[in-house]
Amino acid sequence: MITNLMLTYADPFWLVASASELALLALFVRPLGRKSMPRAGVVACAVALFVLWHSIHLLHLDFAFDFVLNIALVTAFIAATRDTRGSQPLYVACVLLLCSEIGKIITVDVVMQPLYAALSPLPPIAVASVWIALYIAFDALALFIVSRWAFCGGMGRLSWSQSLFILLPLIPYTFIRTSGYVYDISNHALYQDTVLVLILLSICTVAIVVANARNLSAQIERNELLRMEALLKEQHMHYLAGKTAIDAVNRRYHDLKHYVSRLEEFGRNGTVPAQRDIEDFTAAVKREIEPLSCEMQTGNEVLDILLTEKRRVCLESGIRPAFYVDGSKLSFMNSFDLCALVGNAVDNAIEASQKLPPDDVKDIGLTVTYSNNLAVIQCRNRFAGTIDAATGEMGTTKPDAENHGFGIKSMRLAAESYGGYLSWSTVDDEFVLTAMIPVKESEAG
């Protein structure tokens, strides 16, 4: 075998190979955002990875054992240093190592083994140098090709069971790669055939893993889009139901005020019943029907109706609503998007406030102001819990996580559809959600 002409793995020169391999790892995982951690922590992780990676090469027990150790090591490194979710580090590590295997098989068995006679006179360090250069080149090419499809938006949301299902082809792949007959060079024809089979098997395994991951993650994204649309429709239906109810109540309120005024006139004219009784009666009736009228006056009918309902929910939940909203310049936004943006913001704030301890102060602040032709929508509330730092979004606290947690996503889509953007921040135990949306010139004037 050509490997017999190389330096032993104990030679310090193999540090170059380890460093080159880890450089490819660093380049491959660049699409994954860096985790916010001190520079010293990143350096410590990199040094630990380098030491352990090189130590595995020194062990070199058998393919299956080394392969599993490498997967565990790279998975741990990616999870520690990159912003990932769920089983994404495991998936990326497996794709990386499969591409590395393709580079090694092509370098050793396709390029260098047929040149055994020409390379045998060279010193071991020269043969090892050729191996490293060719292997890194083929590995980089494989990673470059695969990287165009390996990273997809929904991959981070795959569950562990889904990810393990995707990686099932690694089991037969590892079994075949470990089999001793694969490298039986006594039969040259069989050896050539097995090399070809190994290359095709490696390529097919990578293709199956990546394609299944993309298909499953795309399906997850489609399901999330459908659930977000259902959530938006639900918010809009609440608005329509509230609008119908408020219209009916306002008509009845107008009629009742007319009748009550007539009764007050009878009382003032001295007719029976007694004036005091009539005044008490009318005051009680007014108190009963007053909360049913549209209390919010924002300059936008959709916000009037929506925030009237949200204010009622806040008061019933023991939450103090502080709504300072000027909706006079938001008529360019349709009712669907306004409900998605403002309705979800207040709903999330109400849900977070309800989870606070009973003796805590519970209040929600909502403001809509304007600055330089930008509508600034801001919602503030106190919260107890954690924010998902990996995705920059609040994680759902509801038991049915697959059908919830889309509030911020739907708000972001609504803001971006008008050329705006949505951001959030936390200060101590206060969550602040801010949306900035350009106001059309006709509204700004």
Side-chain angles (χ1 to χ4, degrees):
M1 285 292 293
I2 191 69
T3 52
N4 297 329
L5 301 178
M6 299 183 191
L7 295 168
T8 63
Y9 279 104
D11 194 285
F13 182 75
W14 288 109
L15 292 172
V16 177
S18 297
S20 301
E21 290 171 342
L22 296 182
L24 290 180
L25 166 62
L27 290 174
F28 184 63
V29 300
R30 284 184 64 185
L32 301 175
R34 293 181 180 179
K35 186 171 289 186
S36 56
M37 59 186 304
R39 184 180 296 273
V42 176
V43 173
C45 288
V47 172
L49 175 67
F50 181 80
V51 172
L52 294 173
W53 183 269
H54 188 65
S55 299
I56 292 174
H57 286 320
L58 292 178
L59 290 174
H60 201 64
L61 299 177
D62 59 58
F63 173 79
F65 187 75
D66 292 352
F67 194 59
V68 171
L69 284 180
N70 285 329
I71 289 175
L73 182 60
V74 176
T75 300
F77 176 76
I78 295 174
T81 60
R82 297 284 163 170
D83 280 338
T84 55
R85 298 182 65 185
S87 56
Q88 192 172 16
L90 175 62
Y91 161 75
V92 174
C94 290
V95 172
L96 169 78
L97 293 171
L98 283 171
C99 290
S100 298
E101 288 303 311
I102 293 175
K104 290 177 181 177
I105 295 171
I106 294 177
T107 300
V108 172
D109 300 303
V110 176
V111 178
M112 296 185 69
Q113 184 63 33
L115 300 176
Y116 183 88
L119 295 173
S120 56
L122 299 177
I125 191 170
V127 179
S129 299
V130 172
W131 182 89
I132 293 173
L134 291 177
Y135 156 60
I136 294 300
F138 286 121
D139 194 3
L141 178 62
L143 289 173
F144 173 75
I145 295 173
V146 170
S147 64
R148 300 181 63 181
W149 294 279
F151 299 97
C152 39
M155 186 59 217
R157 291 186 288 277
L158 294 183
S159 66
W160 279 100
S161 59
Q162 292 170 326
S163 183
L164 293 176
F165 174 79
I166 289 172
L167 298 175
L168 274 179
L170 290 179
I171 296 176
Y173 176 81
T174 307
F175 174 77
I176 295 176
R177 282 286 278 121
T178 307
S179 300
Y181 65 82
V182 171
Y183 288 102
D184 182 11
I185 60 174
S186 59
N187 187 327
H188 183 68
L190 178 61
Y191 174 72
Q192 288 181 324
D193 290 343
T194 54
V195 168
L196 179 61
V197 169
L198 279 179
I199 294 174
L200 293 176
L201 177 65
S202 301
I203 294 174
C204 290
T205 302
V206 173
I208 291 171
V209 168
V210 173
N212 284 343
R214 285 188 62 85
N215 291 339
L216 191 53
S217 62
Q219 184 61 48
I220 288 175
E221 290 180 332
R222 283 193 293 269
N223 291 343
E224 288 187 354
L225 181 60
L226 291 175
R227 288 195 287 268
M228 277 193 288
E229 289 177 352
L231 180 65
L232 296 179
K233 289 178 180 177
E234 182 181 356
Q235 283 281 1
H236 197 248
M237 290 300 295
H238 286 168
Y239 155 71
L240 294 177
K243 184 177 186 302
T244 302
I246 287 177
D247 287 344
V249 168
N250 282 340
R251 287 194 298 270
R252 182 61 57 86
Y253 179 54
H254 181 269
D255 294 340
L256 286 174
K257 284 198 299 185
H258 174 72
Y259 296 141
V260 169
S261 298
R262 294 285 298 180
L263 288 174
E264 288 177 336
E265 289 181 11
F266 290 142
R268 283 193 290 269
N269 292 336
T271 57
V272 180
Q275 180 177 349
R276 182 58 180 271
D277 293 338
I278 294 176
E279 290 176 351
D280 291 342
F281 167 74
T282 57
V285 171
K286 286 180 179 180
R287 284 195 302 271
E288 289 292 329
I289 62 177
E290 188 79 33
L292 300 177
S293 64
C294 189
E295 297 176 348
M296 299 298 301
Q297 301 295 328
T298 66
N300 183 286
E301 183 186 21
V302 176
L303 291 180
D304 291 347
I305 295 169
L306 184 66
L307 295 181
T308 294
E309 172 64 16
K310 303 304 180 186
R311 184 177 183 277
R312 181 189 62 79
V313 174
C314 286
L315 295 175
E316 290 178 353
S317 302
I319 302 170
R320 298 184 304 187
F323 296 162
Y324 301 100
V325 176
D326 177 7
S328 59
K329 298 180 181 180
L330 296 180
S331 59
F332 67 94
M333 295 183 67
N334 62 49
S335 60
F336 197 84
D337 293 327
L338 267 179
C339 291
L341 188 57
V342 179
N344 277 314
V346 179
D347 280 348
N348 288 348
I350 292 173
E351 182 181 346
S353 299
Q354 289 172 336
K355 297 182 182 300
L356 294 172
D359 55 343
D360 277 16
V361 176
K362 302 177 182 180
D363 49 22
I364 295 174
L366 176 69
T367 60
V368 177
T369 56
Y370 302 92
S371 176
N372 297 326
N373 291 338
L374 281 176
V376 182
I377 303 172
Q378 191 170 82
C379 186
R380 297 172 175 266
N381 65 273
R382 294 180 60 239
F383 73 98
T386 58
I387 306 296
D388 189 344
T391 60
E393 296 178 352
M394 293 187 68
T396 180
T397 57
K398 300 178 182 179
D400 187 9
E402 291 188 355
N403 294 317
H404 296 92
F406 302 106
I408 287 185
K409 295 177 185 177
S410 62
M411 284 185 276
R412 180 178 289 118
L413 288 176
E416 291 176 351
S417 67
Y418 291 91
Y421 70 93
L422 182 133
S423 63
W424 60 267
S425 62
T426 58
V427 180
D428 296 329
D429 61 348
E430 185 179 49
F431 180 82
V432 181
L433 181 78
T434 304
M436 291 191 176
I437 301 175
V439 178
K440 291 186 177 180
E441 294 183 1
S442 58
E443 301 290 340

